[in-house]
Amino acid sequence: MATTPFEYAPAPESRSIVDIKPSYGLFVNGEFVDGHGKSFKTISPSTEEVLAEIAEADEADVDAAVRAARKAYDKVWSRMPGRERAKYLYRIARIIQERSRELAVLESIDNGKPIKESRDVDIPIVAAHFFYYAGWADKLEYAGRGTDPQPLGVAGQIIPWNFPLLMLAWKIAPALACGNTVVLKPAETTPLTALLFAEICQQADLPPGVVNIITGAGGTGQALVGHPGIDKVAFTGSTDVGKAIARTVAGTDKKVTLELGGKAANIVFDDAPLDQAVEGIVTGIFFNQGHVCCAGSRLLVQESIADELLAKLKRRMSTLRIGDPLDKNTDIGAINSAEQLARIRELSDIGEAEGAGRWSPECELPSHGFWFPPTLFTGVTQAHRIAREEIFGPVLSVLTFRTPAEAVEKANNTPYGLSAGVWTEKGSLILHMANQLRAGVVWANTFNKFDPTSPFGGFKESGYGREGGRHGLEAYLK
Amino acid sequence: MSDRIDVRKTYKLYIGGAFPRSESAYSYEVKDSKGKFVANAALASRKDARDAVIAARKAFGSWSGKTAYNRAQILYRIAEVMEDRRPQFVQAVVQSEGLSPTKAEKVVDAAIDRLVWYAGWADKITQVVGNANPVAGPFFNLSTPEPTGVVTVLAPQESSLLGLVSVVAPVIVTGNTVVVVSSYDRPLPAVNLAEVLATSDVPGGVVNILTGSAATIAPWLAAHMDVNAIDLTGIAGDAGLATDLEVAAADNLKRVRRAPAAEPDWTTDPGLEPMTTFLEIKTVWHPIGV
């Protein structure tokens, strides 16, 4: 009998659907314009191939974008009846659906995430966000925030590289629905889908200045946050930058929402359906290469089933396919940047040096690009840095517990409070844990689920404010 | 025989359900609206503030774990005890704010009524700001509000009773515990409120009241890593201090209720914002299936 495991032939998605220009300007007042700053390159993290030259917006560019947004706010967007704003958002949602394959391929090329995630998760939820918030635009007086809710003005929005287009949708859709205009800065390493979104705004005939996209790095973001012409700051990213933003806006009238880091506990009780739990653990930490702020990076497993669960988990991890993001069979794509890869390596090495047991399945990594194998650490204690610091990569720390009280204690022993997972067949235990866990999202017998109708956001140092759902409107209304 | 000499009261702090003097042993002179000496109040120190935070943290688990019905009853009980001591509060407001007895009575009535209003919110706020979310998949998906934790409140400087009640009640009715810095010049109603709290059913540590200077104590509370939120209402108009406190609060991303330009009109409908500022929304997902 042959014992070779079943293997899939490569099944790459075609790149030909995407037309990447050699260079991109800034999208200000409805048009692409040259920036005044330097330019930088965006590369494919899976091949290190240079994809395009991107403009870096300087202070003058930021100022021009904010002025364009202010003008559009005063003259057009805030005065437009909600039902008309809604139609623009519906148009955008439809165009995103029509161009979904192109968006998915471009996202995977620029970000490194597997096509099956960009195609089946990111882009459909992006479209869903525009549909959902489009429907709020003419119903704001029913949102529970008084009979005459008003927009804030110009929103400065800064988004991370892990879900480039999804984070754009989370920020832009509710802002526009409420009558605000926006200046959005995508992450330095993943600007391409935001720039394609700018083209979509043009296709939708969105009035000039309602959406402005300015590319750049930290300096551009600082100029945007500090600009006196914005009324609202929305940021998703690291806790350190979130704190810096909170300091910058102190003493101003700017309203702020921050979606920051996490160190989620994924808690498995001894009566949990183990095969499902293993899938949930894999989704929790290896989805999107672990580049997920709400990733289940701390596995808390009840001691009595730890060995059995770990055996199953290792077997499952051995089947994960790592490699070409455009291959439809790929489970784990490329790490987004050399810097991020260095951080994952550094913290993993520290985990080993501090005495935790490191394990990865045997796997060949491509010779070019940024790659890190799915990794788990056993024998982790709460004092280990890998149990305390956000790694933002495919690295799982495994801890054990004996009682529900101990699980709660360990799960909550973190400055973060973004998400948590609970696996058990006992309903009362799920509800008890959901009550006790200090986290903004609790996934029970599932993990890493997102929906535009469902509010998302953190407790404690995971930031403040909620995105999604009716609660997401609060960030953009007064 | 001469007239009877009155027994004067020693005004103390209220921390963890007890009435300590300031750890610093400092006190300061409280004068009435005409500048006449009324009493010495305890001058809370940085250490007192830290002790109050410890007490508030200790009380948080059981207070936030109580049923909303129970918290509603306890808030209503505060109003009952205040009503019982109405003359004392009227006198304190007359002394502190220089109002006529008639006007002071109206202030006390409004403060009691506000407590009754907030008491009713305990078991309704969840229904108003919570949600069942219709996600596009087979999941049960619920969002409910939860208290943020330990909240520092800088109470208004002018409105020593109605303002005080208006900033404390919304914080505790939602399950938070609180460290309050009272009006500096007008601390007496706050101390009277502490005595009401101690004899009502509010567990020790749920409300901790410090008399003293917000400018001195607040920076420590704003930077305290075990404080989850801060209400800057009490430093209305002091933009410089407000900015400093917001910067300090960023260290652990405290939820901040910003300082208004001027003290608000406390007689108007407060709305939901004084409660929702100190609430977190928790969303729970569970698959539906057999």
Side-chain angles (χ1 to χ4, degrees):
Chain A
M1 289 261 298
T3 53
T4 34
F6 185 72
E7 271 294 337
Y8 296 98
E13 175 68 77
S14 168
R15 274 186 71 148
S16 62
I17 192 169
V18 175
D19 174 26
I20 302 176
K21 298 185 183 75
S23 69
Y24 287 86
L26 311 167
F27 184 65
V28 176
N29 205 31
E31 288 171 3
F32 284 96
V33 298
D34 292 335
H36 295 89
K38 297 172 294 183
S39 65
F40 60 94
K41 295 176 173 62
T42 187
I43 62 169
S44 160
S46 62
T47 61
E48 299 179 58
E49 168 201 359
V50 175
L51 298 170
E53 287 272 339
I54 306 295
E56 184 171 352
D58 67 5
E59 282 188 26
D61 297 322
V62 171
D63 188 56
V66 172
R67 282 172 194 276
R70 172 64 58 192
K71 195 172 147 209
Y73 176 78
D74 288 339
K75 306 263 185 213
V76 182
W77 199 246
S78 68
R79 298 180 175 192
M80 189 182 288
R83 65 171 192 277
E84 308 300 338
R85 288 202 307 270
K87 289 183 209 165
Y88 280 110
L89 291 171
Y90 280 124
R91 277 188 195 175
I92 291 171
R94 277 293 192 230
I95 299 172
I96 288 166
Q97 288 180 321
E98 286 155 12
R99 301 180 71 172
S100 62
R101 184 158 290 251
E102 182 186 355
L103 288 163
V105 171
L106 185 59
E107 194 80 308
S108 282
I109 291 172
D110 200 21
N111 168 279
K113 67 172 68 198
I115 186 73
K116 72 175 183 187
E117 290 178 6
S118 54
R119 182 193 62 194
D120 300 344
V121 181
D122 292 39
I123 308 302
I125 305 183
V126 169
H129 267 82
F130 282 96
F131 272 109
Y132 176 74
Y133 279 109
W136 268 122
D138 56 359
K139 300 170 192 68
L140 295 172
E141 60 272 33
Y142 299 101
R145 298 192 47 76
T147 51
D148 188 26
Q150 293 297 317
L152 301 173
V154 176
Q157 307 180 316
I158 299 173
I159 56 170
W161 45 259
N162 57 343
F163 293 93
L165 200 58
L166 183 57
M167 294 299 105
L168 175 147
W170 283 24
K171 295 281 184 289
I172 290 183
L176 262 47
C178 294
N180 304 275
T181 57
V182 307
V183 178
L184 177 131
K185 188 195 88 66
E188 189 182 3
T189 60
T190 55
L192 291 182
T193 44
L195 294 164
L196 183 51
F197 179 80
E199 288 179 29
I200 290 172
C201 292
Q202 288 178 326
Q203 277 192 333
D205 284 331
L206 190 70
V210 173
V211 169
N212 304 274
I213 310 274
I214 53 168
T215 43
T220 307
Q222 278 174 7
L224 181 57
V225 170
H227 196 291
I230 63 169
D231 304 291
K232 153 83 187 174
V233 176
F235 172 76
T236 295
S238 75
T239 290
D240 283 347
V241 175
K243 289 178 181 178
I245 289 172
R247 288 182 197 107
T248 303
V249 300
T252 71
D253 291 331
K254 289 173 192 170
K255 199 166 171 175
V256 190
T257 44
L258 303 170
E259 296 292 351
L260 309 175
K263 193 71 192 175
N266 202 357
I267 305 163
V268 183
F269 285 95
D270 59 7
D271 68 336
L274 284 197
D275 291 329
Q276 288 170 43
V278 165
E279 288 308 308
I281 294 161
V282 167
T283 304
I285 187 61
F286 302 124
F287 176 68
N288 206 41
Q289 297 71 249
H291 299 331
V292 185
C293 48
C294 48
S297 54
R298 288 183 297 152
L299 174 63
L300 300 186
V301 51
Q302 199 153 20
E303 199 178 87
S304 52
I305 54 156
D307 291 343
E308 187 187 354
L309 183 79
L310 276 174
K312 281 176 182 282
L313 180 60
K314 286 179 176 175
R315 193 183 318 136
R316 177 66 179 90
M317 283 170 67
S318 302
T319 67
L320 293 172
R321 292 170 65 100
I322 184 168
D324 183 2
L326 288 185
D327 188 323
K328 294 167 187 171
N329 298 319
T330 292
D331 297 302
I332 297 182
I335 299 303
N336 183 252
S337 65
E339 294 74 40
Q340 187 56 29
L341 179 59
R343 173 164 173 80
I344 297 168
R345 282 184 176 151
E346 183 195 354
L347 275 162
S348 299
D349 291 346
I350 287 168
E352 218 172 338
E354 288 184 348
R358 180 176 185 160
W359 183 88
S360 290
E362 270 184 45
C363 63
E364 271 179 43
L365 300 178
S367 52
H368 293 286
F370 315 125
W371 305 94
F372 197 86
T375 298
L376 69 77
F377 279 98
T378 50
V380 179
T381 73
Q382 296 184 84
H384 282 132
R385 277 182 66 186
I386 51 170
R388 309 201 65 79
E389 293 181 28
E390 191 178 33
I391 299 174
F392 224 67
V395 181
L396 180 67
S397 296
V398 184
L399 298 89
T400 59
F401 67 92
R402 291 184 179 176
T403 64
E406 188 185 348
V408 168
E409 185 82 24
K410 284 183 169 169
N412 288 340
N413 181 17
T414 166
Y416 295 114
L418 189 51
S419 64
V422 180
W423 298 84
T424 166
E425 287 287 61
K426 195 171 177 188
S428 58
L429 181 56
I430 288 173
L431 297 177
H432 169 77
M433 294 300 289
N435 262 344
Q436 297 297 311
L437 292 166
R438 301 285 292 164
V441 182
V442 178
W443 286 292
N445 292 330
T446 184
F447 210 94
N448 267 349
K449 290 281 184 280
F450 307 95
D451 191 277
T453 68
S454 183
F456 179 90
F459 283 37
K460 302 196 283 184
E461 293 190 25
S462 290
Y464 32 74
R466 294 293 178 267
E467 294 183 293
R470 184 172 65 98
H471 297 88
L473 295 168
E474 188 178 336
Y476 293 98
L477 289 174
K478 60 184 171 201
Chain B
M1 289 294 285
S2 61
D3 288 347
R4 179 178 174 273
I5 305 293
D6 58 356
V7 178
R8 289 189 180 166
K9 186 158 115 188
T10 301
Y11 289 84
K12 299 190 197 173
L13 307 174
Y14 182 54
I15 298 173
F19 290 91
R21 289 189 166 90
S22 171
E23 156 279 338
S24 67
Y26 281 98
S27 63
Y28 69 103
E29 286 189 12
V30 178
K31 295 178 175 154
D32 69 13
S33 57
K34 297 191 182 73
K36 185 169 161 276
F37 173 82
V38 177
N40 289 305
L43 185 69
S45 68
R46 173 186 172 187
K47 174 72 161 64
D48 295 321
R50 286 164 56 188
D51 289 348
V53 172
I54 291 168
R57 175 60 62 194
K58 200 172 158 196
F60 177 70
S62 65
W63 180 243
S64 60
K66 284 188 190 301
T67 64
Y69 180 50
N70 195 347
R71 274 204 303 277
Q73 299 226 320
I74 291 172
L75 257 86
Y76 183 73
R77 178 75 180 152
I78 304 173
E80 284 181 341
V81 181
M82 266 184 90
E83 183 87 24
D84 212 28
R85 296 198 184 200
R86 220 164 146 274
Q88 185 189 356
F89 279 100
V90 171
Q91 198 205 347
V93 170
V94 167
Q95 274 187 323
S96 296
E97 300 185 20
L99 299 178
S100 69
T102 320
K103 284 186 175 166
E105 279 184 21
K106 286 203 169 114
V107 168
V108 174
D109 291 348
I112 294 170
D113 291 354
R114 182 134 302 161
L115 272 164
V116 173
W117 189 74
Y118 274 117
W121 270 116
D123 52 8
K124 293 163 195 74
I125 188 75
T126 299
Q127 293 175 310
V128 173
V129 304
N131 255 98
N133 310 306
V135 298
F139 293 93
F140 188 75
N141 190 271
L142 269 191
S143 294
T144 48
E146 286 193 4
T148 297
V150 173
V151 180
T152 291
V153 169
L154 308 182
Q157 297 299 311
E158 306 286 322
S159 181
S160 58
L161 181 66
L162 179 56
L164 174 74
V165 167
S166 300
V167 291
V168 171
V171 173
I172 60 171
V173 72
T174 46
N176 298 286
T177 57
V178 65
V179 176
V180 192
V181 183
S182 76
S183 167
Y184 183 80
D185 289 329
R186 304 169 173 185
L188 301 191
V191 179
N192 287 335
L193 181 66
E195 288 166 3
V196 163
L197 294 167
T199 52
S200 70
D201 300 324
V202 178
V206 172
V207 182
N208 304 276
I209 300 179
L210 305 173
T211 49
S213 159
T216 312
I217 315 168
W220 303 107
L221 290 164
H224 197 300
M225 294 302 274
D226 204 29
V227 172
N228 302 99
I230 187 164
D231 180 345
L232 303 179
T233 301
I235 52 162
D238 190 343
L241 179 58
T243 303
D244 290 348
L245 295 178
E246 277 192 58
V247 169
D251 284 347
N252 69 339
L253 294 162
K254 284 180 187 66
R255 282 63 176 138
V256 177
R257 190 167 178 224
R258 281 184 167 143
E263 200 171 304
D265 174 4
W266 297 107
T267 60
T268 58
D269 178 357
L272 296 181
E273 182 266 347
M275 288 182 282
T276 54
T277 304
F278 305 109
L279 286 172
E280 303 290 339
I281 297 295
K282 176 185 279 181
T283 300
V284 179
W285 292 66
H286 194 281
I288 294 171
V290 286

